[in-house]
């Protein structure tokens, strides 16, 4: 039995699952004590960003990421062999930190592009739609059976991914669905999840006790912020049925990424146990820990590879024996909990522990070394340029900081309205029926009013972080210009609408639906290669 299969089988065993659950519960209780003692509080805010992308050939067809990219850059592997992830180290939330974030992300993207051979391109995009040479269905379905374990051929060769795949397949009776207007298919792996790529701003909080407030405001901003960013109106062109209605396809979701992730990972689970969903409000940081501990365990791993007993204490059992040891990473005390948090897929989720920002000379800028609490803002699709990605990072960070600092009445928006606003944004993009509460406490669904206040609040939050008015305006310009350049209808331009427009033009010229989707995507990739902000495409 090869190591990959052996590790996956171990993860799927009942014994591992039971021991994992016990450890997670103990570690959550110990982490709650650390939070209560202030060990995860820090001196100030900090921020970071994750950016996912994929690789294509010169024709825009999906392609494998060459191994040299991972050897020569800091890019990380993702689920599919065509995927990669870039990230910035956390930095202070102030003008200098924001500038360093932008520069580091530009450098990371440039490094990947430099490491790619001439016949490969980096695609800053949310969903790939130009099929690989063998076709999308064949690519997503290719797999081997090894001693009862399914191993997808185009999945990254990692035990964690193989275990996740087999965990999902076991619950979904061996078939993972993928559906949309004109598409109704199933696959023998979870690789359809690798269709998507996201942009994830992170905001580190000074005090763990403030987590519920920031979390509540973050949920209530997801609809408007996603509506400004939608970028995945199509699935791979050859997955559409031969008789698919082009108008139904072009009138489908602006952001397929949301449905694809939920549908593939939640396959076989009842709604009340779904892994990917819009989360509920929190009453305390401790409740967030309980939510992670109670979440359905997926592909559990015992860090030391050992066994566990219900009452027993062991090396990974959650005792914070290393407290005060400067040579030990904070999360070494909570390995199973951190793994559980990693599969706690909510559209906004808390993260406990991890790196804190460093100054320009590498010095620590936080009080607790590597201990922190932060919010991961996960609804956003990858954007066409680095400038767009950095603008959304600034938007989210400034917006959340200002909402909490001013005790904005948006907190009074019912949770159900926030949830519906989020899914409306995924469905309808710039034309979504959004939900908002203004500074004056008035409920509104007027998209122009909503986005104007969102941008204004974000600018105020950036100024609160020390930015001048001019700097705040410049940081937000790639997003604000989407509104300024749009005219009257729709109220702003989003990349998803741009792709739809290109597809409509091609259909009007006599193209088939598949040809129109491919043509629109190739036009997008060509424009994105120039790395100018999307608003300039008009």
């Amino acid at each position: 039995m090869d190591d990959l299969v052996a590790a996956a089988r171990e993860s799927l065993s009942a014994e591992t699952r039971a021991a994992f659950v016990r450890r997670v519960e103990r570690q959550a209780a110990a982490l709650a004590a650390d939070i209560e003692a202030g060990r995860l509080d820090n001196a100030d805010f900090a921020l970071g960003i994750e950016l996912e992308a994929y690789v294509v050939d010169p024709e825009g067809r999906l392609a494998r990421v060459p191994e040299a990219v991972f050897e020569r850059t800091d890019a990380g592997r993702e689920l599919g062999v065509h995927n990669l992830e870039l990230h910035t180290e956390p930095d202070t939330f102030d003008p200098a930190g924001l500038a360093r974030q932008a520069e580091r992300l530009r450098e990371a993207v440039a490094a990947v592009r430099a490491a790619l051979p001439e016949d490969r391109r980096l695609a800053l995009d949310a969903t790939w739609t130009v099929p690989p040479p063998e076709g999308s269905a064949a690519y997503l379905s290719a797999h081997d059976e090894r001693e009862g374990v399914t191993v997808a051929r185009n999945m990254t060769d990692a035990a964690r991914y193989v275990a996740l795949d087999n965990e999902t397949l076991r619950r979904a009776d061996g078939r993972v669905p993928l559906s949309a207007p004109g598409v109704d298919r199933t696959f023998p792996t979870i690789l359809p999840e690798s269709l998507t790529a996201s942009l994830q701003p992170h905001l580190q909080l000074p005090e763990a006790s403030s987590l519920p407030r920031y979390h509540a405001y973050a949920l209530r901003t997801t609809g408007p912020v996603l509506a400004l960013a939608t970028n995945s109106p199509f699935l791979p062109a050859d997955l559409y049925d031969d008789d698919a209605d082009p108008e139904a396809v072009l009138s489908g979701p602006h952001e397929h990424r949301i449905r694809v992730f939920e549908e593939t990972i939640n396959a076989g689970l009842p709604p009340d146990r779904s892994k990917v969903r819009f989360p509920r409000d929190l009453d305390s940081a401790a409740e967030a820990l309980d939510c992670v501990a109670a979440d359905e365990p997926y592909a559990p791993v015992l860090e030391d590879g050992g066994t566990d007993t219900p009452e027993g204490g062991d090396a990974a059992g959650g005792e914070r024996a290393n407290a005060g040891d400067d040579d030990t990473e904070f999360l070494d005390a909570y390995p199973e909990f951190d793994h559980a948090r990693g599969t706690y897929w909510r559209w906004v989720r808390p993260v406990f522990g991890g790196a804190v920002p460093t100054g320009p000379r590498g010095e620590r800028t936080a009080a607790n070394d590597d201990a922190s609490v932060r919010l991961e803002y996960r609804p956003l699709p990858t954007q066409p340029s680095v400038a767009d990605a950095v603008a959304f990072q600034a938007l989210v960070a400034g917006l959340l900081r200002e909402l909490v600092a001013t005790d904005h009445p948006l907190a009074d928006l019912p949770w159900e309205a926030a949830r519906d606003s989020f899914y409306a944004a995924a469905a309808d993009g710039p034309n979504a029926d959004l939900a908002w509460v203004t500074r004056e406490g008035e409920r509104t669904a007027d998209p122009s009013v909503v986005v104007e206040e969102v941008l204004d609040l974000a600018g105020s939050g950036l100024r609160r972080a020390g930015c001048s008015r001019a700097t705040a305006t410049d940081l937000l310009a790639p997003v604000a210009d989407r509104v300024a350049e749009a005219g009257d209808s729709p109220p702003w331009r989003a990349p998803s609408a741009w792709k739809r427009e290109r597809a409509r033009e091609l259909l009007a010229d006599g193209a088939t639906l598949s040809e129109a989707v491919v043509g629109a995507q190739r036009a997008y990739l060509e424009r994105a290669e120039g790395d100018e902000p999307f608003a300039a495409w008009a």
Side-chain angles (χ1 to χ4, degrees):
M1 184 183 301
D2 63 56
D3 291 344
L4 187 69
V5 170
R9 291 182 63 148
E10 175 66 22
S11 175
L12 295 167
S13 73
E15 293 80 6
T16 295
R17 180 176 301 274
F20 179 82
V21 169
R22 289 192 293 268
R23 290 187 182 188
V24 169
E25 290 173 349
R26 289 205 302 272
Q27 290 168 20
L31 188 50
D34 273 341
I35 289 175
E36 181 68 23
R39 295 193 184 104
L40 277 78
D41 293 346
N42 279 289
D44 207 344
F45 294 92
L47 70 173
I49 194 169
E50 295 179 25
L51 177 66
E52 297 171 349
Y54 60 90
V55 168
V56 297
D57 69 13
E59 299 298 316
R61 294 175 299 191
L62 193 70
R64 177 186 288 263
V65 181
E67 196 64 25
V69 170
F70 300 114
E71 294 171 351
R72 294 166 52 189
T73 76
D74 292 330
R77 302 175 193 274
E78 282 290 318
L79 180 67
V81 296
H82 52 275
N83 298 124
L84 58 84
E85 178 190 280
L86 304 172
H87 72 277
T88 61
E89 291 299 319
D91 213 320
T92 51
F93 184 11
D94 56 26
L98 285 159
R100 287 191 294 267
Q101 286 283 297
E103 184 60 27
R104 288 167 182 165
L105 191 60
R106 290 190 193 97
E107 290 174 351
V109 169
V112 170
R113 285 176 168 157
L116 288 170
E118 291 186 1
D119 63 346
R120 294 292 181 266
R121 304 284 186 272
L122 180 67
L124 296 183
D125 184 38
T127 300
W128 58 268
T129 61
V130 183
E134 66 267 43
S136 301
Y139 182 87
L140 296 171
S141 299
H143 68 283
D144 299 308
E145 295 294 334
R146 302 185 197 168
E147 302 185 60
V149 174
T150 298
V151 180
R153 294 176 191 167
N154 295 307
M155 182 179 290
T156 294
D157 205 22
R160 173 177 181 263
Y161 291 136
V162 175
L164 285 171
D165 194 9
N166 284 266
E167 180 89 58
T168 304
L169 290 170
R170 183 168 62 180
R171 297 170 188 266
D173 294 327
R175 304 300 297 182
V176 175
L178 180 68
S179 61
V183 177
D184 186 12
R185 294 177 179 259
T186 61
F187 293 89
T189 77
I190 61 166
L191 209 57
E193 195 273 317
S194 73
L195 288 169
T196 69
S198 67
L199 166 70
Q200 298 175 23
H202 291 215
L203 181 64
Q204 180 181 293
L205 309 180
E207 297 179 350
S209 61
S210 66
L211 174 63
R213 284 293 276 175
Y214 279 93
H215 184 266
Y217 278 118
L219 295 183
R220 286 154 180 78
T221 64
T222 55
V225 175
L226 175 59
L228 285 161
T230 50
N231 192 23
S232 54
F234 301 121
L235 295 178
D238 60 346
L239 293 184
Y240 289 102
D241 300 334
D242 292 339
D243 59 352
D245 178 7
E247 185 54 39
V249 172
L250 266 66
S251 301
H254 274 257
E255 192 55 46
H256 278 90
R257 181 182 142 265
I258 302 300
R259 180 178 177 86
V260 167
F261 193 28
E262 290 191 352
E263 190 173 38
T264 54
I265 299 299
N266 291 339
L269 287 172
D272 63 337
R273 289 166 53 202
S274 57
K275 293 287 291 181
V276 187
R277 64 180 186 262
F278 192 80
R280 287 281 180 178
D281 288 324
L282 299 170
D283 290 330
S284 65
E287 185 184 10
L289 299 172
D290 293 341
C291 289
V292 173
D295 197 42
E296 193 76 17
Y298 258 44
V301 173
L302 301 179
E303 183 66 19
D304 58 3
T307 58
D308 197 21
T309 59
E311 291 81 26
D314 62 282
E319 297 298 325
R320 185 138 159 71
N322 62 328
D325 181 356
D326 292 337
D327 296 324
T328 305
E329 291 292 325
F330 183 84
L331 282 175
D332 284 353
Y334 308 111
E336 283 79 21
F337 179 88
D338 193 49
H339 180 87
R341 191 274 311 163
T343 66
Y344 181 75
W345 291 299
R346 303 301 191 266
W347 293 115
V348 174
R349 74 177 177 187
V351 179
F352 302 90
V356 298
T358 57
R361 292 173 297 281
E363 72 275 15
R364 290 288 187 182
T365 61
N368 281 330
D369 200 29
D370 63 348
S372 64
V373 175
R374 67 183 187 271
L375 273 186
E376 213 175 65
Y377 198 89
R378 300 172 56 83
L380 298 178
T382 295
Q383 296 297 292
S385 73
V386 172
D388 289 306
V390 170
F392 273 103
Q393 179 190 37
L395 175 76
V396 170
L399 178 59
L400 295 182
R401 183 159 182 179
E402 188 67 10
L403 287 168
V404 173
T406 60
D407 198 24
H408 192 285
L410 179 64
D412 297 330
L413 184 72
W415 177 87
E416 292 80 4
R419 176 201 58 197
D420 294 347
S421 180
F422 168 66
Y423 288 108
D428 299 321
N431 300 305
D433 184 10
L434 302 174
W436 191 257
V437 178
T438 68
R439 286 186 180 93
E440 294 73 29
E442 297 178 356
R443 178 80 174 264
T444 182
D446 185 329
S448 297
V449 172
V450 174
V451 75
E452 180 180 0
E453 184 159 312
V454 163
L455 289 167
D456 186 58
L457 287 165
S460 297
L462 292 173
R463 293 193 296 275
R464 190 179 295 275
C467 295
S468 67
R469 185 174 295 273
T471 297
T473 299
D474 288 345
L475 283 166
L476 296 174
V479 178
D481 287 349
R482 297 184 180 191
V483 181
E485 299 293 336
D488 295 329
S489 182
W492 58 84
R493 290 173 59 82
S496 57
W498 189 94
K499 291 177 180 176
R500 280 186 175 187
E501 291 166 7
R502 302 291 81 73
R504 286 189 185 279
E505 291 169 358
L506 291 166
L507 286 168
D509 289 339
T512 64
L513 174 62
S514 180
E515 292 168 341
V517 171
V518 168
Q521 184 72 357
R522 285 175 172 160
Y524 170 93
L525 293 174
E526 183 178 352
R527 293 300 299 263
E529 188 76 17
D531 207 36
E532 62 181 348
F534 167 72
W537 296 13

